[in-house]
Amino acid sequence: MQPSRSFASDNNAPIAPEILQAIVDANEGDAVGYGDDPWTLRARERFQTAFGPDTLVFFTFNGTGANVAALSSVLRPWEAVLCPQTAHLQTDECGAFERFSGSKVIPVATKRGKLHPLDLEPYLRAGHGVHFPQPRAISISQPTEFGEIYQLGEIAELCDYAHGHGLFVHVDGARIANAAAALGRTPREITVELGVDCLSFGGTKNGLMLGEAVCFFADETHALAAAFVQKQAMQLASKMRYISAQFDALLENDRWLRYASHANAMARRLHERIVDVSGVRINRSVDCNAIFAVVQRDAIERLQREFFFYVFDEGPPEVRCITHSATTENDVDRFAAAVRTACAAEVVP
Amino acid sequence: MQPSRSFASDNNAPIAPEILQAIVDANEGDAVGYGDDPWTLRARERFQTAFGPDTLVFFTFNGTGANVAALSSVLRPWEAVLCPQTAHLQTDECGAFERFSGSKVIPVATKRGKLHPLDLEPYLRAGHGVHFPQPRAISISQPTEFGEIYQLGEIAELCDYAHGHGLFVHVDGARIANAAAALGRTPREITVELGVDCLSFGGTKNGLMLGEAVCFFADETHALAAAFVQKQAMQLASKMRYISAQFDALLENDRWLRYASHANAMARRLHERIVDVSGVRINRSVDCNAIFAVVQRDAIERLQREFFFYVFDEGPPEVRCITHSATTENDVDRFAAAVRTACAAEVVP
Amino acid sequence: MQPSRSFASDNNAPIAPEILQAIVDANEGDAVGYGDDPWTLRARERFQTAFGPDTLVFFTFNGTGANVAALSSVLRPWEAVLCPQTAHLQTDECGAFERFSGSKVIPVATKRGKLHPLDLEPYLRAGHGVHFPQPRAISISQPTEFGEIYQLGEIAELCDYAHGHGLFVHVDGARIANAAAALGRTPREITVELGVDCLSFGGTKNGLMLGEAVCFFADETHALAAAFVQKQAMQLASKMRYISAQFDALLENDRWLRYASHANAMARRLHERIVDVSGVRINRSVDCNAIFAVVQRDAIERLQREFFFYVFDEGPPEVRCITHSATTENDVDRFAAAVRTACAAEVVP
Amino acid sequence: MQPSRSFASDNNAPIAPEILQAIVDANEGDAVGYGDDPWTLRARERFQTAFGPDTLVFFTFNGTGANVAALSSVLRPWEAVLCPQTAHLQTDECGAFERFSGSKVIPVATKRGKLHPLDLEPYLRAGHGVHFPQPRAISISQPTEFGEIYQLGEIAELCDYAHGHGLFVHVDGARIANAAAALGRTPREITVELGVDCLSFGGTKNGLMLGEAVCFFADETHALAAAFVQKQAMQLASKMRYISAQFDALLENDRWLRYASHANAMARRLHERIVDVSGVRINRSVDCNAIFAVVQRDAIERLQREFFFYVFDEGPPEVRCITHSATTENDVDRFAAAVRTACAAEVVP
């Protein structure tokens, strides 16, 4: 049987009720395909209200599609993007960007998955002229793949550094709402206002059925490229209204914030309830909706009989637990109790 | 104001009620991502029931994604696919296949968009050894882009010819249900039983919110390739259950057939009501849910003030009218009356 | 045994003596790699003298490399190049351009392999917005693949038409010297002065060991792209001096003209000697160094026992005979005599 | 003025006299293009004699072309190659492999540029199923980019480990002859006999004008792929005889060994003459024809006024000096003396 509540990923969550209702409501009559419909117009306007009137936005089906389309609109095939070697772009997109764009992803060693200007330096002077693809962009995940948050100053500093070296700044924001909620800022304040040029704004992990939004803030000529890249990258929905309607609802009445805040609160609650469990070692800051914990293998196995979650790194082993918009306090408490039991069992051999 | 009923495309249609209900019903609790869920299991079984137990099936977001993923699972980059020069693959996918796969699409001149073995011949002896990409597959659309149907014998003959020349047969079945309904056959009878190796089975144009299914029938080793291609082609949904649930519902109780039959009937009705209109010349067989008609430019303009549809070929000019699962008899009758009026107006200068 | 003289292709020719001497002469001491050497500097200057001081030139290893690098410097992956369906780019480069660039080649039906503005028209209005790759360039071969020549007015008209539609004009000039010689014009007069934007200037088929030159005339920002494309396309020679030295010698003292004129003269001589042979039907104009002739299959087989040449089209069948810088009058006369004998044998059954 | 002798790279060397003579000798009469000529047949036989009768060999224009063609014949676009992060493939080929193949290069952190099985381990268990390109090959440079040599046992161990994990082993042997000479072994003994599956056998850096040979030893079905990949990768020379003739001469009478041994001896001589110079710190083993030395910046600048060589790493700074088949004892002695002078000048401020 499928466990009733998963702590594996926010993509295990159901569609948030208001988002599902928006799909149902959009199902009235015919609508022109490919985005020339009122829902898409309205969703675009919401993004422009949120991020600024010059924002160019288009929607993709999934996160890999968003990252690939975003970067492929900017980079030419002899240009490269630098990202943490732990980035989703590097580790979880099956090389889709390289295959689609022909460009190179340069993985950069970082501390804890967070990129600092100093990490970039060796790669920028490694020129070699035409013998090496020209660094043209950096891509960071906010929050990081380990659920930690870049502080505003850190992003501003990265943007300054990047722009000073002719690099475009992309943020993989599959969970940008969780970061915004945790920082108590609007998405705009933690991206465009700090110098970010392009954002993959996540929907799927924040209550949508599916859908991501690629936002360009920079005053560049990406508009034309973006339209073709979206189509070529197989990310142009014919019945676009059903993706747009979801974003329209997500950005209405700060739902994006409400969902993400709830997910974050559930992770905090889980953290509080297991932080003192003997046999659980939490080495990373719990900033958003993810908890990483080193747990003994036997305890993991016992726990996985009841709950679904991933071992993120087989080495330690370190597990990852994710909460989401539909996680309840009761879910957390049951899971925390199960963690406690599974670890306790361990001590008695 | 958006016209209430569009005759532009079946992708202008709303989600069929039972399909939408399936999405709503699937929205219960958490589910493992990327297809490891009961809905996907059930949908896969329905395809195996429909097409045979060895059928390998995976879902994509849209039709371009389905065609690209299907062909990229089979072809290596120095192999080519032959298709009618009017094929969606050639004219409406923005070169996504070439960009993603690196392979060549060879457009073949045909009569009325239907491929015959004789059309292929010059391309097969044009060898040039390593100087020309090796033909490895043919791709045909059933029905054609002009709404006409390949008879069973025609497909069988094409498959025989193709297999005899080492070519794999792909069918772009974005509207395969309409063809099956028109022929009074099951999808299986008009594909796998005739020798078709791979099918893009359309969902979006037959009542789904979004979703296409790639089916491999041939006993080949595409399984591994397909899984990676689906991911690399940015077609792997994390919340897969919502696509699977739609296909599960579509294949249940012959809904695919019901929707398609209705669309076809509406096209027939429209045909009957406008075939005698002076100023309307219908040169193509109305086999499914599409009517192509040469109409005077003035009449088109008048008609487009009330109804949304495309001019398919600016030359004659020839318009395309498509019906779908939600088109009503009343819609058709109103449209037919408007056609009559628009054309009548013409005669009086 | 290898036949002493081939009529198969100008790439069957040996290196012209002065070119070989230039290689030998360049073999003195060390030289900086990748083109930062005096030979490359000198060769570049010769191209700038020949085509104008703003000409950007770089060298590639072979003709496919030249065409791919030229077009990939200009096109983005969602842009397309239109060319005759008989173009080398379409038929003899194994899809290298599609694979490397991801762009689409759109083959255009033409009369006798020569592109006219009228041929382009249907492809330019076939827009479909983002659904079809945007036409961005045309590529023509001068002379055509059938050895015929575009007159100056024809190229000027094509360039005007192309520029008027936002298209860049590329000329595949693998045999541009033969065309220039035939027209009694300089290469500049038949390219840049007529509006051509980019030229693949052939060396290999005009006496070089290997080497082609890509020349950009248009005042555009291709310089940066070109350097990276040359490297990525695996066309950057480390010991560049040996390619440059050949071009330096080829452009010195009008050797390019001398070699090509000789080759053309040999083709004319061959034409004169076989035009009246019963059993030989020459349907194409013999403008340069190629003769195409329809000959009976038995006669071809007899002739191929002694001489190496290709059957270009198995249908009629039509053979292609090419002369080159090393073809002698004696070679031609022996071959013509053999043609006469082979065809004569035929008549007596 | 160009310095008479460069220590920058073995690609700054002239063509070795016997190789140039082979080109001259091959320049007799016509020859069929694309490799169907006696020189190519003979060169292939020499490789089969050297590496075993089942060896599949084809020639490319340059080293990047060889590596790209070798790996692209084996990998599918969702497969990855692991190599040291200092590999030429990763740092000096401008992402040509990624662009051409669509596959991912995974740079592995190593000690001193030499790959050990332990370095690979974390990348092999990093599976993620379809979310990460499947490791399919490793690529190592013998000697390393730092001029150090893998001992036979090290390569054998790597091959065992790789094969045990389903990985194909490619060796970038741009300087394989220098390694063979240093180890006192035949090329076969240090590759195929240890388990290497595929070798880029360098010619350009060992006395050729240009040319590399890709050799497949494994009993796999690469033959067909290789022919198309060579053409698509723009590496198929039409006048192939001139590349083949060079390889024919290089493998005749152990010239490959003589040239490489000489280059190695010159590096040893240079090492002996500068190892005790105060201000020169040689941290890497001088195994072949390269010396890496940390030298003060001022001394480098003084020395570069007279001799051409590269600063390999601006950090320390560390310079790289390469000797080659044409480097003379006198060249070395003059250079060593100049090093001594440049460094001595330093001490006196």
Side-chain angles (χ1 to χ4, degrees), chain A residues 2-7 9-17 20 23-24 26-34 36-39 61-62 64-66 68-69 72 75 88 92-97 99-102 203-210 228-229 231-239 241-243 246 308 310 324 326-327, chain B residues 2-7 9-17 20 23-24 26-34 36-39 61-62 64-66 68-69 72 75 88 92-97 99-102 203-210 228-229 231-239 241-243 246 308 310 324 326-327:
Chain A
Q2 187 95 353
S4 63
R5 187 60 71 204
S6 159
F7 288 85
S9 174
D10 17 23
N11 66 33
N12 286 200
I15 311 171
L20 181 55
I23 293 176
V24 172
N27 204 41
E28 197 57 55
D30 285 18
V32 179
Y34 304 110
D36 200 6
D37 63 75
W39 294 268
F61 293 116
N62 67 5
T64 296
V68 170
S72 299
L75 269 69
H88 197 268
D92 281 275
E93 304 187 352
C94 200
F97 176 65
R99 181 161 191 190
F100 180 75
S101 74
T204 313
K205 287 178 165 138
N206 196 24
L208 263 56
M209 170 175 153
L210 61 78
F228 286 101
V229 166
K231 172 68 191 176
Q232 275 197 320
M234 301 162 266
Q235 298 298 311
L236 181 61
S238 57
K239 293 182 172 174
R241 60 171 147 169
Y242 298 107
I243 296 184
Q246 295 179 70
F308 185 56
Y310 292 113
H324 55 63
T327 310
Chain B
Q2 188 94 356
S4 64
R5 185 61 69 204
S6 159
F7 288 85
S9 175
D10 19 22
N11 66 34
N12 285 200
I15 312 171
L20 180 56
I23 293 175
V24 172
N27 204 40
E28 197 58 53
D30 285 18
V32 178
Y34 303 110
D36 200 7
D37 63 75
W39 294 269
F61 294 116
N62 67 6
T64 296
V68 171
S72 299
L75 269 68
H88 197 267
D92 281 276
E93 304 188 352
C94 200
F97 176 64
R99 181 162 191 189
F100 180 76
S101 75
T204 313
K205 287 178 165 136
N206 196 24
L208 263 56
M209 169 175 154
L210 61 79
F228 285 100
V229 166
K231 171 67 192 176
Q232 275 197 320
M234 301 162 267
Q235 298 298 312
L236 180 61
S238 57
K239 294 182 171 174
R241 60 169 147 169
Y242 298 107
I243 296 184
Q246 295 179 70
F308 184 57
Y310 292 112
H324 55 64
T327 309

Side-chain angles (χ1 to χ4, degrees), chain C residues 221-276:
Chain C
T221 54
H222 304 307
L224 181 67
F228 285 100
V229 166
Q230 179 190 24
K231 172 66 191 176
Q232 274 197 320
M234 301 162 267
Q235 298 298 312
L236 180 61
S238 57
K239 293 181 171 176
M240 184 71 83
R241 60 168 147 170
Y242 298 108
I243 296 184
S244 305
Q246 295 179 70
F247 273 112
D248 181 33
L250 183 69
L251 268 65
E252 192 188 23
N253 297 332
D254 284 342
R255 282 192 194 105
W256 65 268
L257 178 62
R258 190 144 43 83
Y259 299 161
S261 298
H262 175 79
N264 291 358
M266 292 303 99
R268 272 198 311 277
R269 184 182 184 98
L270 177 57
H271 184 234
E272 286 160 14
R273 273 157 183 65
I274 64 171
V275 68
D276 67 331

